[in-house]
Amino acid sequence: SYVLTQPPSVSVAPGKTASITCGGNNIGSKSVHWYQQKPGQAPVLIIYSDNHRPSGIPDRFSGSNSGNTATLTVSWVEAGDEADYYCQVWDSSSEHSVVFGGGTKLTVL
Amino acid sequence: EVQLVESGGGLIQPGGSLRLSCAASGFSVSNNYMSWVRQAPGKGLEWVSGIYSGSSRHNADSVKGRFTISRDNSKNTLYLQMNSLRAEDTAVYYCARLMGLRPDYQYYMDVWGKGTTVTVSS
């Protein structure tokens, strides 16, 4: 089955830019989606299809995907961005159709 | 408003059964791909089960043969029947709507419920 690899943690100072990676074999050929989850809350979709933002998601959140790595970029980081972030792909080649990365804890210093 | 509300969680002994429900509003579960995702305490998201077009259903290996996903179109509700429960099934269970875009329909979860907690313990 397809495997997505994320760093367990990323730290960034307020006002700076955070990059969270999601690695997978030829992931650039797939569409990558990103979710934000704050403690005690359900996940929220923040990026779909590599670089599209749902309505209501600030443009400080952006995504890219190429080769073996997809990246979620959070610009002008705020304290409220501190959360867990998960990448996800649809693996139509197997029954395990929804695949999540292990998640990355973003800490705002 | 598009919304999902889960219910049916609780404390259950190992080997027991539980049925989770997920009531949808603002859209029809019959016309959408739907899924269950769980999150064990302190752990990441784990896809559990999905129901797609028609009666196509798929389960994660960890629950295969024990969990069954279904939907009642008349009640606009998604279900997860969980049998032979184990301690490792302890988690918050979320239902979610899957959305895909043409042309390749690489599905993502655009609507999530708040979750229901299942605790398997003696």
Side-chain angles (χ1 to χ4, degrees):
Chain A
S1 60
Y2 195 78
V3 175
L4 295 174
T5 301
Q6 296 182 240
S9 62
V10 168
S11 298
V12 63
K16 299 299 185 181
T17 297
S19 295
I20 298 174
T21 59
C22 176
N25 184 34
N26 196 26
I27 196 173
S29 68
K30 300 180 179 294
S31 288
V32 179
H33 320 297
W34 292 90
Y35 304 89
Q36 177 193 66
Q37 186 182 33
K38 296 182 178 180
Q41 298 183 19
V44 173
L45 178 71
I46 57 170
I47 294 287
Y48 65 95
S49 301
D50 296 338
N51 55 17
H52 295 80
R53 284 185 310 278
S55 174
I57 301 301
D59 59 6
R60 299 185 299 103
F61 292 89
S62 62
S64 63
N65 183 19
S66 178
N68 292 318
T69 305
T71 303
L72 171 70
T73 301
V74 187
S75 304
W76 303 104
V77 168
E78 303 172 354
D81 297 332
E82 186 162 290
D84 294 323
Y85 292 84
Y86 296 89
C87 58
Q88 177 250 311
V89 299
W90 175 259
D91 182 18
S92 57
S93 65
S94 75
E95 290 191 9
H96 301 171
S97 307
V98 175
V99 180
F100 289 105
T104 298
K105 168 69 176 179
L106 177 65
T107 299
V108 181
L109 301 171
Chain B
E1 180 190 7
V2 174
Q3 193 175 9
L4 294 167
V5 179
E6 303 94 335
S7 61
L11 174 63
I12 186 77
Q13 290 188 341
S17 297
L18 210 56
R19 189 178 79 159
L20 306 183
S21 300
C22 171
S25 56
F27 73 99
S28 173
V29 296
S30 65
N31 296 333
N32 286 273
Y33 285 17
M34 301 293 297
S35 191
W36 287 96
V37 175
R38 70 183 179 184
Q39 186 170 36
K43 302 297 184 181
L45 301 174
E46 179 190 14
W47 174 77
V48 172
S49 189
I51 186 165
Y52 307 137
S53 58
S55 58
S56 175
R57 313 172 194 193
H58 298 280
N59 285 338
D61 285 343
S62 58
V63 305
K64 199 164 288 186
R66 300 188 299 124
F67 290 11
T68 301
I69 189 172
S70 64
R71 54 189 165 195
D72 185 328
N73 297 336
S74 66
K75 296 182 178 179
N76 207 25
T77 299
L78 181 73
Y79 300 101
L80 185 67
Q81 178 66 43
M82 305 186 297
N83 299 330
S84 303
L85 282 161
R86 307 166 180 168
E88 54 265 36
D89 296 319
T90 294
V92 176
Y93 284 74
Y94 299 99
C95 66
R97 182 178 74 175
L98 287 161
M99 185 63 62
L101 301 176
R102 296 190 179 104
D104 54 1
Y105 291 95
Q106 302 271 309
Y107 288 92
Y108 54 91
M109 298 172 177
D110 69 330
V111 181
W112 295 70
K114 295 186 184 301
T116 186
T117 300
V118 173
T119 303
V120 184
S121 175
S122 55

